[in-house]
Amino acid sequence: AGIQRLKDFPRPFWLALFVEGTRFTQAKLLAAQEYATSQGLPVPRNVLIPRTKGFVSAVSHMRSFVPAIYDMTVAIPKSSPSPTMLRLFKGQSSVVQVHVKRRLMKELPETDEAVAQWCKDLFVEKDKLLDKHIAEDTFSDQPLQDIGRPIKSLLVIASWACLVAYGAYNFLQWSSLLSSWKGIALSAVGLAIVTILMQIMILFSQSERSTPAKVAPGKPKNNSESSEARRDKQQ
């Protein structure tokens, strides 16, 4: 129902789907590799196995009014540190390279099963693309395009910063916290508590601390093979 309401949405929109469904960690990659091996699927090296149910639902409901899918693959150059929440709060920049490919919606298969397989095949291509980036530190031989910093985003952030600073200044004047040593001490303690809580939240936001995915047990190929295995064990 939510996707159908987008059909008459009055403004242009993007629907962003992270088809892997979770953050990438080495533990989750290992689980995905074990699962792929048990199911006879291509074993991933740089991506997780996509969870296609949401993608299939989005395609089936938006096919008539969304013209294209932008397939985006993100990688960090070897010379650049990984972007983290802590680096963002410190104002430290990182370089991120994004490979974008426009895929027309009308070129996708018609059935849900075929769309799901299309998505899985797409992630096999992403895996190879990331192999190239790891080896050559670039996605392709084409020159990189620096998109710069959008002026609109800068204006939005600056406006919010001024609004928050103005509100904080008025609050301090109203409360008279900085007019006495007791008020200054309370302000310092409150600032320290907020800083500690932010550090804790940042640490828990790191992908390495997320719970690794559990591997689904492999299913036997057919009943005859399992019955033969049971007979072998009995003998």
Side-chain angles (χ1 to χ4, degrees):
I3 293 177
Q4 282 295 333
R5 284 197 293 269
L6 293 174
K7 184 174 183 179
D8 300 320
F9 198 72
R11 301 187 63 185
F13 66 89
W14 293 74
L15 176 64
L17 294 177
F18 298 87
V19 192
E20 290 168 304
T22 184
R23 291 177 292 180
F24 182 93
T25 65
Q26 289 301 319
K28 292 178 182 179
L29 176 61
L30 179 61
Q33 291 172 338
E34 293 177 356
Y35 176 78
T37 302
S38 67
Q39 300 296 313
L41 302 173
V43 179
R45 297 171 300 279
N46 311 292
V47 297
L48 303 181
I49 298 175
R51 303 177 183 182
T52 58
K53 187 175 181 179
F55 177 77
V56 170
S57 179
V59 169
S60 62
H61 289 90
M62 302 174 72
R63 186 189 294 269
S64 61
F65 58 92
V66 171
I69 295 172
Y70 286 86
D71 169 24
M72 306 180 70
T73 307
V74 180
I76 302 168
K78 299 174 183 177
S79 58
S80 176
S82 299
T84 62
M85 288 294 294
L86 188 57
R87 287 185 59 84
L88 290 176
F89 278 114
K90 290 182 178 180
Q92 298 173 340
S93 63
S94 296
V95 177
V96 178
Q97 294 181 354
V98 184
H99 181 274
V100 185
K101 186 170 184 178
R102 189 175 191 267
R103 301 177 183 270
L104 295 178
M105 183 72 80
K106 63 182 181 181
E107 296 177 354
L108 267 66
E110 295 295 332
T111 65
D112 290 351
E113 293 78 9
V115 171
Q117 187 60 48
W118 182 90
C119 182
K120 294 175 183 178
D121 294 341
L122 188 64
F123 268 76
V124 174
E125 293 182 24
K126 283 179 178 289
D127 209 13
K128 296 178 181 178
L129 189 62
L130 287 170
D131 278 338
K132 176 180 176 61
H133 192 279
I134 291 173
E136 304 176 10
D137 215 24
T138 183
F139 284 118
S140 68
D141 298 331
Q142 298 179 358
L144 294 177
Q145 299 181 18
D146 188 356
I147 62 174
R149 298 186 178 187
I151 299 299
K152 182 179 178 181
S153 300
L154 178 61
L155 292 176
V156 170
I157 294 174
S159 301
W160 275 108
C162 293
L163 184 62
V164 171
Y166 178 74
Y169 176 77
N170 285 340
F171 173 77
L172 291 174
Q173 275 194 329
W174 170 79
S175 61
S176 301
L177 283 176
L178 301 182
S179 61
S180 64
W181 286 108
K182 183 178 180 180
I184 294 174
L186 288 175
S187 301
V189 170
L191 183 61
I193 292 175
V194 171
T195 303
I196 293 172
L197 291 176
M198 287 180 61
Q199 291 285 347
I200 293 174
M201 292 178 64
I202 289 171
L203 288 175
F204 276 99
S205 71
Q206 295 177 359
S207 61
E208 290 79 6
R209 292 178 176 268
S210 57
T211 306
K214 296 181 179 179
V215 179
K219 298 179 181 179
K221 294 182 179 180
N222 52 54
N223 294 331
S224 62
E225 289 185 3
S226 58
S227 60
E228 290 176 2
R230 285 196 297 269
R231 285 198 299 269
D232 292 340
K233 289 181 180 178
Q234 291 174 356
Q235 292 175 356

